[in-house]
């Protein structure tokens, strides 16, 4: 595959985030009629079918069994992330859940230092404090807070768990991007998560009706395309640089939330999100200055 420059990789990642944010909107629209585990199952099965066809058509090699343990662990983390995030979307506004998830890039940067031995800097320390402060404003500064009774307690817990497990999965993924192609990684992940969900789907299965059918199909298409773009871009940029791209999710969430659900974010969300985004951009810009030009 042709090597991508930094700007090209970042633009590819932005496109992937836009598709994944649109998928989140579909998830929220389905959450009132279908169980969360069923939505997750359909999303992964759709992606697995599409990506599996591509993988076998191009005759790409699947990971060796000796590498599957890492894929299983990462897929489990992504599965927990997706379930938590999808559940939170059913309980809380799209923009609010997305804003809380923006703490993940800073967690990725910190884990990059601790696990991947990336350089520790004063910028990262300050940025981490800014992101934490922003997260507190988003969580406790608006009209909907854990103490206000807006949304279930489990919804708030799920919204907080999602960025933690997501960060762990990205660190694991960073070590896998040079072992397999984006298609193979995403195919294996989708298939494994679908298998994890399978024992629980039949407990309270609801047959999709009417326009739920095309929305369920669209979940797989958008999820597969978005995550494949996401993985491809991650091959060409450091984990900490990816923070800047992830921040665009709030813009897409705000746009989709307003268009599809008439959600108008509280001012505290934008104040807190500005702190989080500024922190992530500072870390990303520092990393970009260090990266060689292509």
């Amino acid at each position: 595959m042709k090597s991508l420059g930094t700007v090209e990789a970042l633009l590819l990642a932005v496109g992937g985030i836009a598709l994944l944010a649109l998928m989140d909107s579909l998830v929220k629209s389905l959450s009132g009629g279908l169980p969360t585990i069923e939505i997750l199952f359909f999303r992964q099965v759709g992606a697995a079918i599409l990506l599996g066809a591509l993988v076998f058509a191009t005759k790409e090699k699947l990971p060796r069994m000796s590498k599957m343990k890492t894929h299983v662990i990462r897929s489990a983390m992504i599965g927990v992330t997706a379930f938590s995030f999808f559940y939170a979307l059913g309980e809380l506004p799209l923009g609010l859940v997305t804003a809380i998830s923006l703490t993940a890039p800073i967690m990725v940067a910190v884990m990059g230092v601790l696990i991947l031995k990336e350089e520790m800097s004063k910028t990262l320390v300050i940025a981490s404090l800014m992101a934490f402060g922003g997260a507190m404003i988003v969580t406790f500064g608006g009209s909907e807070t854990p103490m206000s009774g807006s949304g279930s307690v489990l919804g708030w817990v799920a919204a907080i768990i999602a960025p933690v497990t997501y960060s762990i999965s990205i660190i694991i993924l960073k070590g896998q991007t040079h072992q397999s192609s984006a298609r193979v990684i995403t195919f294996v992940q989708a298939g494994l998560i679908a298998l994890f969900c399978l024992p629980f789907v039949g407990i309270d299965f609801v047959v999709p009706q009417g326009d739920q059918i095309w929305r369920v199909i669209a979940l797989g298409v958008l999820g597969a395309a978005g995550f494949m773009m996401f993985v491809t871009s991650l091959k060409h940029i450091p984990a900490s640089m990816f923070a800047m791209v992830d921040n665009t999710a709030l813009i897409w969430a705000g746009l989709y939330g307003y268009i599809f659900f008439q959600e108008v974010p509280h001012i505290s969300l934008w104040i807190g999100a500005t702190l989080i985004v500024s922190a992530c951009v500072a870390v990303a810009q520092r990393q970009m200055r260090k990266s060689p030009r292509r």
Side-chain angles (χ1 to χ4, degrees):
M1 177 182 174
K2 181 183 175 183
S3 179
L4 296 177
T6 298
V7 174
E8 293 171 307
L10 288 174
L11 288 175
L12 185 66
V14 169
I17 294 299
L19 291 184
L20 292 173
L22 183 57
M23 184 200 71
D24 293 339
S25 299
L26 282 176
V27 169
K28 185 172 179 63
S29 73
L30 286 166
S31 61
L34 300 178
T36 302
I37 193 69
E38 188 175 331
I39 295 172
L40 178 58
F41 176 73
F42 281 133
R43 180 254 187 270
Q44 300 302 332
V45 167
I49 291 172
L50 291 171
L51 293 167
L54 283 173
V55 168
F56 288 109
T58 54
K59 299 181 179 179
E60 293 186 78
K61 293 183 178 179
L62 295 176
R64 297 192 303 271
M65 288 304 297
S66 60
K67 302 291 185 181
M68 283 303 295
K69 180 180 178 180
T70 306
H71 282 277
V72 170
I73 294 172
R74 182 181 55 77
S75 296
M77 290 295 100
I78 287 288
V80 172
T81 299
F83 180 84
S84 300
F85 191 81
F86 290 179
Y87 184 85
L89 285 176
E91 300 290 326
L92 302 168
L94 178 61
L96 178 59
V97 178
T98 302
I100 293 173
S101 74
L102 289 183
T103 56
I106 287 295
M107 294 183 195
V108 170
V110 172
M111 290 182 187
V113 171
L114 299 176
I115 300 173
L116 301 180
K117 307 303 180 184
E118 294 180 355
E119 181 184 351
M120 181 66 170
S121 66
K122 183 167 68 174
T123 300
L124 180 57
V125 173
I126 295 174
S128 298
L129 293 174
M130 287 175 61
F132 178 77
M136 292 299 99
I137 292 173
V138 167
T139 305
F140 298 104
S143 58
E144 299 191 62
T145 73
M147 282 82 70
S148 68
S150 301
S152 70
V153 173
L154 287 178
W156 283 97
V157 171
I160 294 169
I161 287 175
V164 176
T165 51
Y166 173 86
S167 304
I168 297 171
S169 72
I170 290 298
I171 293 299
I172 298 173
L173 176 62
K174 186 63 182 173
Q176 290 181 306
T177 53
H178 298 291
Q179 298 174 7
S180 302
S181 71
R183 278 191 296 266
V184 170
I185 289 174
T186 314
F187 166 60
V188 172
Q189 171 185 295
L192 286 173
I193 295 175
L195 287 175
F196 296 155
C197 295
L198 191 56
F200 306 99
V201 171
I203 296 175
D204 188 24
F205 188 79
V206 177
V207 179
Q209 303 288 333
D211 65 351
Q212 287 180 334
I213 297 174
W214 72 259
R215 281 184 281 167
V216 163
I217 294 172
L219 284 181
V221 175
L222 292 173
F227 198 79
M228 197 160 63
M229 292 167 69
F230 175 103
V231 174
T232 301
S233 67
L234 195 57
K235 282 190 175 185
H236 304 281
I237 54 178
S240 52
M241 188 186 295
F242 197 81
M244 187 165 68
V245 183
D246 241 5
N247 292 323
T248 63
L250 183 62
I251 298 173
W252 298 113
L255 177 63
Y256 297 147
Y258 180 76
I259 293 174
F260 299 124
F261 308 108
Q262 293 74 54
E263 295 176 354
V264 179
H266 190 275
I267 185 64
S268 64
L269 187 151
W270 295 112
I271 294 173
T274 298
L275 281 173
I276 297 170
V277 169
S278 298
C280 295
V281 168
V283 171
Q285 286 181 333
R286 184 179 186 279
Q287 187 61 53
M288 289 179 71
R289 287 195 297 270
K290 292 168 52 185
S291 301
R293 294 183 179 274
R294 299 189 184 197

